[in-house]
Amino acid sequence: MKLVFFGSSENSAEVLKFIISKKYNIDIVVTRKRKPQGRGLKLISNLVEDVANENEIKFLETDDLNDPNFINELRTLKPDIFIVVSFGKFLSQKILDIPLKGVINIHPSLLPLYRGPSPISAVILDGAKQTGVTIMLLNQGMDTGPILIQSDPVLLFGNETTSELSKDLFLKGSELLVDILDKYYQGKINLIEQDNNFATYTNLIKATEGEINWQKSADYIFKRYRAFDKWPGIFTFWKRKRIKLIQLEIFNNNFQKIKPGKITLYDKNLLIGTGSCPLRIISLQLEGKKISKSLDFVKGYKEILNETLPS
């Protein structure tokens, strides 16, 4: 079985490692081009590339999936299956048509629910009680292809972050993929068409969505904190500088309501008012500075107390 793996994220790298650990041979790994990072604008390898190198697997870097040389190289391999995990780009019909047995994708939701680019953040923002993972075949639609297998529902308890839930779902997806890969190759899997009547969709998250509206409830803000934990984070502004809130919790101890956006210190707790109860800030980061514990931050910026942040 000739396999080509497409992936560009930390989750992709973990899935790739899992597949290799189960003795499947990956002929080529395809990943996105590296981008310069940091002040020195150095090219830093991504984790998928690192896994490929560690296992002496040929890898291709590309952001141009229409490059004739790239397409010809894939065709020359005469692959059986493409496996796509958190790659971050749509595959054209030209590429979807290359593998003999099609293109398998791990999608972290119970399709047809939460189609699109941000299913994990979306279930947290919605306050959903459960989610799961789907192994499916890709077509030209937005996660509309037939289902090979789905996980049992994964119960949610209201404290998960996108990072934590991603790790759990992609691990489950890895296990499901390995369970059915040989059966699918042998034609022993019955495909399940999705019911479009039950489909819901997610959107690409924008950086601006992390800005906090203090008029909203503490629960609303806390969901965004959990959903955007890795990117873009949640933030506010003070004296025209961005403050990123790194760690926080809802302060539920019958404390009196604070005006939305107002900052106060109570019994060694840095609190910010919302449209409901306050939020307790545990750590934060002022633009251009290192992450600070809240009490250390207040020592350096006492003037912030009793200020009201913009909504």
Side-chain angles (χ1 to χ4, degrees):
M1 186 179 354
K2 290 186 177 180
L3 301 174
V4 175
F5 183 92
F6 289 70
S8 300
S9 71
E10 181 178 349
N11 292 318
S12 308
E14 292 302 316
V15 173
L16 179 59
K17 278 196 276 189
F18 187 87
I19 294 170
I20 293 169
S21 75
K22 299 302 179 180
K23 309 305 179 185
Y24 283 96
N25 291 321
I26 305 294
D27 289 85
I28 295 177
V29 167
V30 180
T31 189
R32 301 278 299 277
K33 276 197 172 181
R34 295 169 293 166
K35 295 180 180 179
Q37 297 181 18
R39 292 184 179 179
L41 295 178
K42 294 180 179 179
L43 286 175
I44 300 173
S45 63
N46 66 41
L47 294 174
V48 174
E49 181 182 325
D50 291 342
V51 175
N53 282 328
E54 288 165 8
N55 290 277
E56 299 181 342
I57 301 170
K58 180 178 181 178
F59 70 88
L60 303 175
E61 277 187 332
T62 185
D63 281 330
D64 182 6
L65 298 181
N66 294 314
D67 179 0
N69 293 327
F70 169 71
I71 292 175
N72 287 336
E73 183 154 6
L74 293 179
R75 282 178 176 156
T76 300
L77 179 65
K78 296 183 179 179
D80 293 300
I81 296 171
F82 288 170
I83 297 171
V84 178
V85 182
S86 191
F87 181 62
K89 267 186 170 295
F90 278 108
L91 303 188
S92 68
Q93 193 63 50
K94 281 184 181 178
I95 294 178
L96 294 176
D97 289 340
I98 292 172
L100 180 65
K101 297 282 187 176
V103 181
I104 296 178
N105 174 239
I106 297 178
H107 185 81
S109 80
L110 293 175
L111 291 171
L113 299 177
Y114 298 103
R115 293 173 174 173
S118 54
I120 298 175
S121 295
V123 296
I124 292 173
L125 292 174
D126 286 352
K129 300 301 182 183
Q130 64 182 35
T131 188
V133 62
T134 302
I135 310 299
M136 60 174 293
L137 293 181
L138 286 183
N139 58 21
Q140 276 290 279
M142 175 72 79
D143 300 319
T144 56
I147 294 168
L148 302 180
I149 191 172
Q150 287 186 317
S151 71
D152 293 330
V154 174
L155 299 181
L156 303 177
F157 300 97
N159 57 359
E160 299 86 358
T161 65
T162 290
S163 296
E164 293 165 347
L165 191 51
S166 294
K167 186 174 181 180
D168 183 28
L169 292 179
F170 279 102
L171 175 58
K172 290 182 186 301
S174 303
E175 294 167 345
L176 287 176
L177 174 63
V178 166
D179 283 346
I180 60 94
L181 192 53
D182 286 326
K183 292 177 185 176
Y184 172 70
Y185 177 70
Q186 295 162 9
K188 296 179 180 179
I189 296 286
N190 292 321
L191 303 182
I192 303 168
E193 295 297 330
Q194 296 187 44
D195 188 341
N196 293 324
N197 293 318
F198 293 97
T200 61
Y201 293 87
T202 67
N203 297 313
L204 194 64
I205 296 168
K206 300 175 183 176
T208 53
E209 292 182 63
E211 185 171 0
I212 301 166
N213 180 348
W214 296 106
Q215 302 293 331
K216 297 289 188 178
S217 70
D219 182 63
Y220 176 91
I221 296 169
F222 189 63
K223 283 176 182 173
R224 297 178 87 76
Y225 159 72
R226 291 165 43 227
F228 301 155
D229 70 317
K230 196 162 188 179
W231 190 89
I234 63 168
F235 56 88
T236 188
F237 289 93
W238 177 58
K239 292 186 175 181
R240 298 183 179 179
K241 287 194 173 182
R242 181 185 300 238
I243 297 179
K244 189 172 183 180
L245 302 184
I246 305 299
Q247 189 177 4
L248 56 81
E249 62 186 17
I250 296 175
F251 193 69
N252 270 327
N253 70 341
N254 298 318
F255 186 76
Q256 66 201 47
K257 185 175 178 181
I258 304 173
K259 177 183 175 184
K262 186 173 182 180
I263 302 176
T264 189
L265 196 62
Y266 170 76
D267 194 24
K268 296 185 178 180
N269 294 297
L270 183 65
L271 306 179
I272 303 181
T274 73
S276 59
C277 59
L279 289 171
R280 175 177 174 251
I281 310 304
I282 300 169
S283 60
L284 65 169
Q285 184 177 25
L286 181 64
E287 184 178 329
K289 303 293 183 179
K290 294 181 179 180
I291 295 173
S292 301
K293 294 292 185 183
S294 58
L295 295 182
D296 292 334
F297 182 86
V298 169
K299 287 177 185 177
Y301 300 96
K302 292 181 180 178
E303 68 272 24
I304 200 172
L305 294 177
N306 298 315
E307 289 268 273
T308 299
L309 301 172
S311 292

